Amino acid sequence: MEFLYYFGDVFSPVSFGLLLLGTIGGLLLGATPGLSPTMAVALLIPFTFHLQPVQGLILLGAAYTSTVAGGAVSAILLKIPGAPANIATTLDGHTMAKQGKGARALQLSFLASAVGGVIGVLLLIFLTPVLSQWALAFGPSHLFWLAILGVTVIGSLDSASVVKGLLSGCIGLWLATIGFDDIMGAQRFIFHPALGGGINIIAALIGLFAIPQVLTMFAKGRTSSAAEVIEVEKHSIKDAIRELVRRPRALTIGTVTGSFIGLIPGVGGQIAGLVAYDQTKKFSPEREKFAKGHSEGVIAAEAANNAMVGPSLVPLLTLSIPGSPTAAVLLGGLLIHGIFPGTDLFDNHPDVAWTFINSMLIGQVLMCIFGLYVAGLAARIAQVPQSVMAAVVLGLAVFGSYSVQSSMGDVYVMATLGVMMYFLERFGFSAAPLVLGLILGPIAEANFIQGSMIAGATDGLGTYFLTGTLNIVLIAVVSASILYSVWMELRTRRYISKEEIMG
């Protein structure tokens, strides 16, 4: 119950103000199609650079939580998911809105999000300290394999192709070597003076996630959204609460599914929402009503994608393995403040860890309270012309990249990586594994060198890195992750080919 000692820190004026700002801003950003939670958090990281570590994490955590929930607004009112995690919400939510039940659908989505989110954060509170103590058994060889696992997991699951996902991770690992070698001091791939200190992680995050989206927005030209905004009529919140209580099956399946999937690194909110929706439909005696405006579909999907948020941070805070692309960006936010996840976090920085986690718990309640008040406004913001939205995001990207070190070199790096990622995405590559390679590369390299030194004084490199129960288990998990992804990709291709033949 150590977390109870740090509850008061969340309500200090600056911390609580940042929590409110992150929650309201995240709801607005989440309701804007194209601005994913990952991109929103990446854009906010430069603003945390001059804050205290815990204050910066509170802002980022609030934005992460509320952006996922805010995506339900455009999913229900515009039939445009604000983020991939809200795909399943559109199936029944927009139909309800067209039937004149938009306010009811929004209320149910935010209430279900709050319930799922609170339970997810409670899992984070009770699981993280246990696993962080278990992480004390990890030495340099184990940490090396964990870093590789982090790249391969999201590299193989967050991409259309396993090969392309792993190649993206390898590109990130290569980018991590640019600059001066920390051990020998040798220059590596320094093509320009701006690269002398290596690639700034904040500039890289902004470039890789924001710039491709900006270029995509500019490519659409000066056009307004053609989506029809459905007016949000009045509906009693008490009636929505009663309906939520009468739907325990959807709420339970959504919460349990989201929590379980969140613990698996690399799966993501879109999988949680779709799986929860599918399972709720299978267990419901009213399955024929799904996709026709059934409230159980909205409840299950939104409970799942918010229940996923807390557990997705468990592997991040204990083993430095981000559970989602957004968690990978949060890892970058921790590292720039000199805070490393694992036992070090809860032993040396308990105030930072517990205040951050407590803020996410309180943030779930605030998200629910403010959700309905900004729903109508958020729907209007979603109709801002793409060219205007792109200009705003581009301005934030340039400002954020320059402000960290007051260096135009970081702006050049940001722009170069962003343009490169734009073209890579055209060929099916993903930014998430590339970012993970860039973040985890130095961790893998440092532990490999340290392990090599230990191995040279003991039984040799192969014995040190390839033997021992924990090493073998980690190598097996890495291999299983890749093989499972290959199997799933082949299975998907066979299914598509069968459908084309039958079609």
Side-chain angles (χ1 to χ4, degrees):
M1 295 295 180
E2 186 181 3
F3 73 97
L4 294 174
Y5 292 108
Y6 298 97
F7 249 111
D9 295 345
V10 181
F11 294 96
S12 67
V14 175
S15 296
F16 193 70
L18 289 169
L19 182 59
L20 289 174
L21 178 64
T23 300
I24 297 173
L27 287 169
L28 296 175
L29 290 173
T32 306
L35 298 185
S36 66
T38 307
M39 180 176 162
V41 174
L43 286 173
L44 285 174
I45 280 185
F47 296 96
T48 71
F49 197 71
H50 299 291
L51 296 173
Q52 295 294 324
V54 67
Q55 294 171 350
L57 286 175
I58 287 174
L59 178 63
L60 297 179
Y64 180 19
T65 299
S66 57
T67 307
V68 173
V73 176
S74 57
I76 291 170
L77 300 182
L78 303 174
K79 203 181 179 180
I80 304 174
N86 306 107
I87 292 172
T89 309
T90 62
L91 300 176
D92 281 292
H94 187 65
T95 307
M96 289 180 68
K98 289 196 297 184
Q99 295 170 352
K101 303 174 184 175
R104 177 181 162 200
L106 286 169
Q107 289 170 347
L108 289 173
S109 73
F110 283 115
L111 288 169
S113 293
V115 173
V118 167
I119 292 175
V121 176
L122 289 175
L123 282 174
L124 174 66
I125 289 172
F126 291 109
L127 285 180
T128 303
V130 176
L131 292 178
S132 67
Q133 292 301 314
W134 176 68
L136 281 170
F138 286 75
S141 64
H142 312 124
L143 294 174
F144 167 77
W145 286 116
L146 275 174
I148 299 301
L149 175 62
V151 177
T152 57
V153 165
I154 292 190
S156 56
L157 290 174
D158 193 59
S159 191
S161 165
V162 175
V163 174
K164 290 178 180 178
L166 295 176
L167 281 175
S168 295
C170 290
I171 293 172
L173 290 172
W174 170 69
L175 290 174
T177 65
I178 294 176
F180 286 92
D181 176 18
D182 290 337
I183 305 298
M184 307 301 294
Q187 293 188 16
R188 302 183 299 188
F189 308 110
I190 300 178
F191 310 114
H192 188 275
L195 300 175
I199 292 181
N200 183 279
I201 187 62
I202 298 176
L205 288 172
I206 294 173
L208 292 169
F209 285 112
I211 298 304
Q213 191 62 44
V214 167
L215 294 175
T216 302
M217 289 178 179
F218 277 133
K220 295 179 181 178
R222 298 171 62 94
T223 57
S224 299
S225 173
E228 176 190 359
V229 178
I230 297 173
E231 293 295 331
V232 181
E233 76 289 351
K234 291 185 178 180
H235 184 266
S236 171
I237 188 68
K238 292 181 180 179
D239 291 340
I241 295 173
R242 290 193 194 99
E243 181 166 4
L244 189 75
V245 173
R246 290 197 303 266
R247 305 288 187 184
R249 177 179 51 250
L251 191 61
T252 302
I253 293 175
T255 301
V256 172
T257 302
S259 300
F260 178 75
I261 288 179
L263 288 169
I264 305 173
V267 178
Q270 64 269 32
I271 304 297
L274 289 169
V275 170
Y277 182 91
D278 178 67
Q279 292 303 308
T280 303
K281 181 179 179 181
K282 287 179 179 177
F283 283 98
S284 175
E286 303 174 312
R287 59 178 64 90
E288 71 281 352
K289 294 183 180 180
F290 279 74
K292 297 178 182 178
H294 194 28
S295 59
E296 281 195 349
V298 175
I299 293 170
E302 286 301 310
N305 61 37
N306 273 268
M308 178 273 309
V309 171
S312 74
L313 299 180
V314 173
L316 167 68
L317 297 178
T318 57
L319 304 173
S320 300
I321 301 177
S324 65
T326 313
V329 178
L330 283 174
L331 175 60
L334 281 167
L335 295 178
I336 63 171
H337 287 287
I339 298 174
F340 296 88
T343 55
D344 178 69
L345 183 62
F346 288 88
D347 290 343
N348 300 335
H349 306 283
D351 55 328
V352 174
W354 287 122
T355 305
F356 166 57
I357 293 173
N358 288 338
S359 74
M360 293 194 68
L361 189 62
I362 298 167
Q364 297 287 350
V365 179
L366 294 176
M367 173 271 296
C368 184
I369 294 172
F370 289 109
L372 294 177
Y373 288 98
V374 302
L377 175 62
R380 297 296 174 187
I381 289 176
Q383 286 202 311
V384 172
Q386 293 284 327
S387 55
V388 175
M389 185 63 66
V392 172
V393 174
L394 182 60
L396 288 173
V398 173
F399 169 78
S401 300
Y402 179 81
S403 64
V404 177
Q405 300 181 125
S406 300
S407 169
M408 281 303 297
D410 288 340
V411 177
Y412 299 148
V413 169
M414 179 271 295
T416 302
L417 290 177
V419 173
M420 177 191 75
M421 195 65 241
Y422 174 77
F423 288 105
L424 285 175
E425 286 184 349
R426 305 278 78 75
F427 293 98
F429 290 86
S430 175
L434 198 154
V435 166
L436 271 180
L438 183 60
I439 292 174
L440 297 178
I443 298 173
E445 182 183 18
N447 283 288
F448 181 78
I449 293 173
Q450 185 179 351
S452 299
M453 293 177 177
I454 296 172
T458 54
D459 299 326
L461 199 65
T463 303
Y464 183 77
F465 279 95
L466 302 176
T467 61
T469 303
L470 199 48
N471 277 333
I472 293 172
V473 169
L474 290 171
I475 294 170
V477 173
V478 170
S479 303
S481 169
I482 297 173
L483 291 174
Y484 175 76
S485 299
V486 171
W487 176 72
M488 286 298 294
E489 182 178 345
L490 293 175
R491 183 182 176 186
T492 303
R493 288 183 179 180
R494 283 198 300 268
Y495 177 78
I496 293 173
S497 299
K498 184 178 179 180
E499 288 290 317
E500 290 176 349
I501 292 171
M502 293 178 64

